Amino acid sequence: AAVDGFLRKFSVLNIARPLPPADGCDEQNEAEGVSEAAAAAAAAAGAETLFAYSLVHDTLARSSNAGSGGSGMLRVGECAGGFPAMVADGLAQVLGEVNSGGGGGGVEFAARVERTQPAELADALLRLLPRTSAASYLAGRASLRMPDHAAAAELFASAGVAYAQTGEGLRDAVDLQLVLPRAVLEEGHAWAYYAHVAEMFAAGGGHAHAARFARLALQVLDAQHEGEDDEAKALAEAGRRAAAERRQTLWFRVFHAELAGGAYEQAYLAVMAQPDATVQTDCLRHLVAALCERPAGVAVLCRLPWPGLQEEVERTLLFKARNSDLLLAAPAAAPNYYRILYAFHVYRGGHRNAASAMYQYAARLAALMPVSGDVAEMLAARGRALLACISGLRLVDGQDAWVVHGRSASASASASASLAAGEGDGEGDGAGERRKRRRVEIGRYDATSSASAAASSSAGVAQEIDIVGLADVRREYALCVARLELGAEFPELLARNLLFEPEDALALHVKRARYDRALALARQFDLPVEPVFAAMARMCLGMSMRSDGEGYYCAPPGFWLIPEVPSVGSAAERAWRLLQCYLDGEEPVGAAGAAGGAGAASGLMQQLPLRMLVAECVLGADGCCVLAPWLADGLVRCCPQDLVRMCLRLGCVTEAAEFLLRHVRAVTLRVSGNSALTTAPSSSSSSSSRVLWLPYGLVDRTVGILDDSVARFELAVEKIRGAQGEEEEEVEEQGGALLKSYVDRLEGLVRLRGDLKAAVGRYMELAARDVGEPAALANPPAAAAVGSIEVN
């Protein structure tokens, strides 16, 4: 059956046989491939079947002298077994002829067949031979070429039994010696055979079997040297060194076989078992690179423990990160070693080291941005890196929330020169110069950068490092996000050589009415927020002066979506409420000024520059604008004197007198209602807590301006009344309306002046009564001295 299958699969023999007498046999013979000459020869031969030529004849002719003396063809008589039996008889003649000379001719013939014929043909032919060690080895080589690695491994293992059966090498396995390579025979030990088989499997792509036989070689090699006695070990010191080199080579072969086969854990074990430190480091770097480049390899890299080699893994990843190309057209084609290093540190709980890796990634992106690449994509990647850095630093103690960023002194000098020339993107190392980071000049700044530090030291270049804290990283992130966000509306911000400063981002956010982002940016960089609130005040005024407030100012989406601001009322009302919300967040009115004027009355004043700025914008605007009650009440309670002076400076006399009157009345009410403040100060108590201050100078100035205003209005009223009788009827009607407005204004000023003087007089009476000096009523300067007047 084996011969029949062998013949059916491969037409190794061209057969000529007698033609049958039946008609129509020519067509059949032609269909079977039998020529007329062969048929005539078969007819002349009589009862014999002629094997005209075969691949076996070709092998015999090229292998030995067996085919030279023969007739060049095989003749097999008819037998009961049919055609397969005739083929078997012919092969028996061939094998008998090649073995007739002795000396292992059959093994040599089988080896020649394995070397010269196709793998399938050689495998089928070798299965017909007796299963000796040599035949198993040759069949394994044929199966390896097919390729059938599993069958080849079984055959090679059965051939290796010859070493186990003989304790002295291959002295008894003569047939196997005829087919093995010379180098294996010179070693004369089983480890050399297994190493040879492993090498064949590695060349044929059977990496799992290559690792298996390499491990068998290691086992045999270790057992061989464990069996030596002390005297033999002393005499064979050179041999022991050679064995160590062999062991190193075999482990190296195991590592590469397991790595090529995707068995990462087994490759890791081979690395850890490598006896030579140099080779171990080399294998580790190969394994790290392979794990980073292959799917699901990063998870394996992080999961493996790496005892004693973790620092080397970190150095390898950092070296590859620093020398990787971040400007690839297809980022998925190459791994991002910065992210891999970040994942490696996070898996082990090294959050600060992980943050350092992300910050170095962001710094490299900032350095490459003016050179090439898509600025928008690099800004987005840099923002993600900085955000990851912030997340890592948030997980460590506050005193350890910093990273180290190193560079050479020459790079620092070039960055300073580019800043002086107005170049750069304003977000990298040059921008860090303006943030005044802590800087130290050393030769080696961290464990993960020893290679670069040593290279710099050998080149005579000093190392300069920046101690970057969490606040610094947050500022860089805020500026990066601001540039990316504003770049969608202002494309010029995405230019390469752009010096983008926080002040620019703040101004553009204000221009686009993103006040929340502007305020956040101002807090990050300690920038003044006055421009933000001035712009908001102008927006509110503009919306209040128009009936269609929505059309005056185009608010961005989500402008009104603040939980603290009710979304009811007109656009102007909502805008004022929004301004109030921002003011309460940036400049809350203190508890001292919130108790019904108690803070102002007690002299505990509070500076409110932002509210004063908004009030100045409102009072200085064109048109009849009044302060909102929530704004005026807070200013009168906390800083009434500043408010009155500002009103006088802007020419708002009526508003100044009204605010001063409210302040004087609040002080008077406080004096008359608090018994602790109506007694003279004792030596054991502070006078500042018992005496209520009144700005007499400001009162005199305000009353004087009111007197001047009343005098001017009285003169104007007299002139209008004198001119009414000389003008026509239509003009007289207009003059009457003007006269009425002037008279009303004059009456209001007179009444306001009277009220203010009465309030001041009431305060003077109470002050004189408290200090026990009635003469103070007639001597305001004396009362001022007694009351210790404070002019803010």
Side-chain angles (χ1 to χ4, degrees), residues 6 22 42 70 93 114 123 166 200 259 263 299 405 424:
F6 166 69
Q93 293 183 41
E114 190 276 327
D123 179 72
T166 60
M200 288 192 298
L259 185 61
H405 176 52

Side-chain angles (χ1 to χ4, degrees), residues 194-417:
Y194 289 128
H196 165 63
V197 173
E199 184 177 357
M200 288 192 298
F201 270 111
H207 303 294
H209 298 291
R212 168 193 170 188
F213 281 97
R215 284 194 171 89
L216 286 174
L218 282 168
Q219 294 176 6
V220 174
L221 190 62
D222 293 339
Q224 174 186 346
H225 288 280
E226 287 176 0
E228 296 178 354
D229 55 5
D230 295 338
E231 182 178 359
K233 291 181 180 179
L235 295 175
E237 184 66 26
R240 292 177 64 237
R241 288 195 297 268
E245 295 179 359
R246 295 163 186 162
R247 191 176 292 105
Q248 169 186 326
T249 304
L250 287 172
W251 275 119
F252 189 75
R253 186 167 294 164
V254 170
F255 164 73
H256 277 283
E258 297 289 7
L259 185 61
Y264 302 129
E265 287 82 359
Q266 297 300 324
Y268 162 78
L269 294 177
V271 171
M272 302 306 297
Q274 178 59 248
D276 187 83
T278 303
V279 179
Q280 185 184 50
T281 302
D282 184 57
C283 292
L284 180 140
R285 292 170 180 171
H286 280 80
L287 178 59
V288 169
L291 290 175
C292 293
E293 294 172 359
R294 298 184 183 180
V298 177
V300 178
L301 175 67
C302 297
R303 186 174 66 249
L304 295 176
W306 305 105
L309 296 176
Q310 180 172 337
E311 292 185 1
E312 185 61 35
V313 174
E314 294 174 3
R315 281 193 290 267
T316 301
L317 290 174
L318 184 60
F319 175 80
K320 288 185 172 293
R322 288 175 175 173
N323 294 275
S324 59
D325 188 4
L326 301 181
L327 301 178
L328 292 175
N336 190 320
Y337 289 98
Y338 286 105
R339 296 177 181 173
I340 296 173
L341 184 59
Y342 174 81
F344 186 81
H345 285 306
V346 168
Y347 190 87
R348 282 159 174 76
H351 299 293
R352 196 176 74 173
N353 292 333
S356 179
M358 284 292 99
Y359 187 81
Q360 293 183 44
Y361 178 41
R364 276 204 63 192
L365 289 173
L368 291 174
M369 207 176 302
V371 180
S372 60
D374 191 335
V375 176
E377 292 182 1
M378 297 180 76
L379 279 173
R382 186 168 185 266
R384 289 191 293 267
L386 291 173
L387 187 59
C389 179
I390 294 172
S391 301
L393 292 179
R394 285 287 302 274
L395 297 175
V396 300
D397 294 336
Q399 60 183 0
D400 298 327
W402 52 270
V403 296
V404 173
H405 176 52
R407 53 182 174 174
S408 63
S410 58
S412 303
S414 62
S416 301

Side-chain angles (χ1 to χ4, degrees), residues 318-660:
L318 184 60
F319 175 80
K320 288 185 172 293
R322 288 175 175 173
N323 294 275
S324 59
D325 188 4
L326 301 181
L327 301 178
L328 292 175
N336 190 320
Y337 289 98
Y338 286 105
R339 296 177 181 173
I340 296 173
L341 184 59
Y342 174 81
F344 186 81
H345 285 306
V346 168
Y347 190 87
R348 282 159 174 76
H351 299 293
R352 196 176 74 173
N353 292 333
S356 179
M358 284 292 99
Y359 187 81
Q360 293 183 44
Y361 178 41
R364 276 204 63 192
L365 289 173
L368 291 174
M369 207 176 302
V371 180
S372 60
D374 191 335
V375 176
E377 292 182 1
M378 297 180 76
L379 279 173
R382 186 168 185 266
R384 289 191 293 267
L386 291 173
L387 187 59
C389 179
I390 294 172
S391 301
L393 292 179
R394 285 287 302 274
L395 297 175
V396 300
D397 294 336
Q399 60 183 0
D400 298 327
W402 52 270
V403 296
V404 173
H405 176 52
R407 53 182 174 174
S408 63
S410 58
S412 303
S414 62
S416 301
S418 64
L419 272 178
E423 299 177 355
D425 63 350
E427 299 173 23
D429 295 339
E433 291 281 340
R434 300 193 174 189
R435 246 72 89 196
K436 300 298 182 183
R437 297 174 181 161
R438 294 161 50 196
R439 183 165 291 111
V440 185
E441 185 173 324
I442 57 177
R444 178 174 177 177
Y445 51 85
D446 63 350
T448 58
S449 60
S450 58
S452 61
S456 301
S457 300
S458 62
V461 181
Q463 286 287 326
E464 195 173 76
I465 66 170
D466 289 336
I467 305 300
V468 185
L470 178 59
D472 298 323
V473 182
R474 282 174 170 168
R475 283 193 288 267
E476 292 191 35
Y477 173 74
L479 192 59
C480 178
V481 172
R483 184 180 178 186
L484 181 63
E485 184 178 12
L486 292 169
E489 302 179 27
F490 303 96
E492 58 272 14
L493 295 181
L494 299 180
R496 298 195 183 282
N497 296 321
L498 175 68
L499 183 63
F500 189 67
E501 293 293 337
E503 294 80 4
D504 303 330
L506 181 67
L508 291 175
H509 275 314
V510 170
K511 182 178 181 179
R512 301 304 299 171
R514 298 189 181 98
Y515 300 116
D516 52 346
R517 292 177 176 83
L519 292 174
L521 197 67
R523 297 190 199 102
Q524 289 283 349
F525 292 93
D526 297 328
L527 298 176
V529 297
E530 284 78 4
V532 182
F533 285 96
M536 293 183 66
R538 290 192 295 268
M539 179 197 70
C540 294
L541 288 172
M543 300 180 73
S544 299
M545 291 178 182
R546 293 175 59 94
S547 58
D548 54 342
E550 295 283 1
Y552 175 78
Y553 199 89
C554 182
F559 179 74
W560 307 110
L561 301 180
I562 298 181
E564 294 82 1
V565 180
S567 57
V568 294
S570 63
E573 292 174 351
R574 286 183 288 165
W576 283 109
R577 285 196 295 267
L578 179 65
L579 177 58
Q580 181 183 2
C581 178
Y582 282 130
L583 280 173
D584 291 340
E586 289 291 325
E587 195 177 67
V589 178
S602 63
L604 301 179
M605 300 299 178
Q606 181 182 2
Q607 298 296 327
L608 301 175
L610 297 179
R611 295 176 185 268
M612 289 293 297
L613 175 65
V614 173
E616 185 175 359
C617 292
V618 174
L619 295 176
D622 297 333
C624 299
C625 297
V626 296
L627 294 182
W630 59 266
L631 180 59
D633 293 344
L635 293 174
V636 170
R637 289 197 304 267
C638 297
C639 50
Q641 301 176 32
D642 296 337
L643 179 61
V644 172
R645 292 191 184 96
M646 183 191 66
C647 292
L648 294 177
R649 186 178 70 253
L650 297 176
C652 302
V653 181
T654 304
E655 288 80 0
E658 290 176 352
F659 293 145
L660 183 58

